Amino acid sequence: MAIPANAAASMSFPMINMEKLETEERGAAMEVIQDACENWGFFEVLDDELLNHGISHELMDEVERVSKAHYAACREEQFKEFAAKTLEAGEKGADVKDVDWESTFFVRHLPASNLADLPDLDHHYRQVMKEFASEIERLAEKVLDLLCENLGLEQGYLKRAFAGSRGPTFGTKVSSYPPCPRPDMVDGLRAHTDAGGVILLFQDDQVSGLQLLKDGAWVEVPPMRHAIVVNIGDQLEVITNGRYKSVMHRVLTRPDGNRMSIASFYNPGADAIIFPAPALVGAADAAERNEGEEGTAVYPRFVFEDYMNLYVRHKFEAKEPRFKAMKADAAPIATA
């Protein structure tokens, strides 16, 4: 049975005005973040002036302008060829549900940048992306500190948990979701959870399409001017021992409008060892335990790179078998 869309639309999508974190309303704002991480897996950081997420409107506007111009100049014709072949195959009866209707490239920032190696990017685009990445990295680390506070972890715990031997991995996926004449045939991006740590998304404010799965219904992530969408990745679910949740999300195709998506992934280093924070083990079931009993780590200990090697083969499947497969004595995930 198909999952209904927007059946949960009456619920208020969690939005954070970070300016309130500096006022007497801080407690209420932190409660919104807690609810968002535990029950939504997403929240949106607003920016009406320059007092919230702190990334200037001028920089965000320039990122949007040069990204859209780059697609039109360098990637649109190639995508049209892909689109024509995909639609032709679908109309002939082929199953194209394992195809994503997107044009995308990836910029790596940490531990070493690949900006200079990417073809078709002019000097100005490289400089704009470098400046934007620096701002997003700063915001990601601020978000991690807020999550530490919310979880009762010591400041810096999550950043250290991500560090590995060379620091975190950090990169940006630049995507376009062009108009699709057959949105019933193919999705923009199939439903999945994100593998990594914390994801910060700068999305088009004119063309919608991003949805998350909540309580069995698809809910639209509202596009808002100069906002940053934050979502929880699988590694934060593990580190919080399930208190925070990564959630399935997808991108729908639209018959008109070319949706821009710039998603930055602040992830653990390749050799980082990921495991539930000892301070959070048993926190969820504390009320059911007798004094002196130890809590239970719900998730296994593993190396992040090992998880990623599994994830790339099972990205569009449920996350739970991936977690189970990381146990030392686990059988491999069955494939069809």
Side-chain angles (χ1 to χ4, degrees):
M1 183 176 67
I3 296 172
N6 292 328
S10 60
M11 292 182 288
S12 180
F13 189 88
M15 298 184 182
I16 310 298
N17 183 330
M18 292 186 74
E19 182 184 9
K20 292 184 178 180
L21 294 169
E22 308 302 325
T23 72
E24 66 278 0
E25 298 181 71
R26 180 181 181 85
M30 293 296 284
E31 287 181 4
V32 174
I33 294 176
Q34 179 177 328
D35 176 67
C37 294
E38 293 182 0
N39 298 309
W40 290 78
F42 275 72
F43 59 90
E44 197 152 7
V45 180
L46 306 182
D47 192 69
D48 295 327
E49 301 173 3
L50 295 184
L51 300 173
N52 292 314
H53 58 58
I55 303 175
S56 78
H57 294 178
E58 291 78 11
L59 176 58
M60 297 181 80
D61 290 344
E62 188 63 3
V63 169
E64 180 175 357
R65 186 190 71 80
V66 295
S67 295
K68 290 183 174 180
H70 175 263
Y71 170 79
C74 301
R75 305 186 67 88
E76 186 170 25
E77 289 305 313
Q78 181 181 3
F79 182 83
K80 286 180 177 178
E81 294 178 8
F82 157 81
K85 292 178 181 178
T86 300
L87 292 173
E88 181 182 6
E91 288 168 355
K92 289 181 178 179
D95 184 3
V96 293
K97 285 299 183 182
D98 61 347
V99 174
D100 298 312
W101 189 270
E102 66 173 355
S103 172
T104 187
F105 66 94
F106 192 81
V107 182
R108 187 180 66 249
H109 309 300
L110 295 175
S113 173
N114 71 341
L115 257 175
D117 303 325
L118 295 174
D120 301 326
L121 301 188
D122 62 29
H123 176 73
H124 178 65
Y125 195 2
R126 295 179 205 275
Q127 291 303 113
V128 168
M129 289 303 296
K130 183 177 180 180
E131 182 180 356
F132 182 69
S134 177
E135 293 296 308
I136 287 289
E137 180 184 359
R138 177 192 56 76
L139 180 58
E141 292 179 349
K142 183 175 182 179
V143 167
L144 288 179
D145 280 342
L146 288 171
L147 300 187
C148 282
E149 181 180 344
N150 228 326
L151 291 161
L153 297 172
E154 61 184 26
Q155 284 297 297
Y157 180 91
L158 291 173
K159 184 177 178 180
R160 292 193 298 273
F162 283 16
S165 63
R166 299 182 62 196
T169 52
F170 176 48
T172 297
K173 179 185 176 186
V174 180
S175 301
S176 295
Y177 296 93
C180 178
R182 289 292 306 276
D184 59 309
M185 183 183 293
V186 59
D187 287 333
L189 180 60
R190 289 164 284 167
H192 63 287
T193 66
D194 287 328
V198 62
I199 299 86
L200 289 82
L201 169 67
F202 173 30
Q203 66 169 342
D204 202 300
D205 68 311
Q206 298 295 317
V207 185
S208 62
L210 177 61
Q211 295 184 333
L212 64 89
L213 187 62
K214 176 169 173 56
D215 300 330
W218 289 108
V219 181
E220 182 174 295
V221 178
M224 300 187 68
R225 187 70 174 162
H226 297 136
I228 296 291
V229 176
V230 178
N231 73 281
I232 301 298
D234 292 350
Q235 306 312 300
L236 278 181
E237 179 168 332
V238 172
I239 293 172
T240 65
N241 204 34
R243 180 167 165 182
Y244 288 176
K245 303 292 186 185
S246 62
V247 300
M248 297 289 282
H249 52 283
R250 67 183 183 182
V251 177
L252 297 181
T253 48
R254 301 295 190 195
D256 52 16
N258 186 351
R259 177 178 176 269
M260 178 202 72
S261 167
I262 300 178
S264 296
F265 300 80
Y266 191 100
N267 292 344
D271 64 351
I273 300 174
I274 304 301
F275 55 91
L280 300 179
V281 170
D285 63 350
E288 299 177 8
R289 291 185 283 111
N290 295 320
E291 186 175 353
E293 288 183 345
E294 293 186 358
T296 303
V298 181
Y299 299 81
R301 174 186 294 254
F302 54 80
V303 176
F304 178 63
E305 186 173 36
D306 292 341
Y307 186 86
M308 285 302 300
N309 289 337
L310 181 71
Y311 178 85
V312 296
R313 302 194 303 272
H314 300 280
K315 174 178 179 178
F316 300 108
E317 301 171 19
K319 62 187 174 181
E320 291 79 9
R322 296 197 298 264
F323 293 145
K324 291 180 180 177
M326 298 313 298
K327 295 181 179 178
D329 58 351
I333 296 177
T335 55

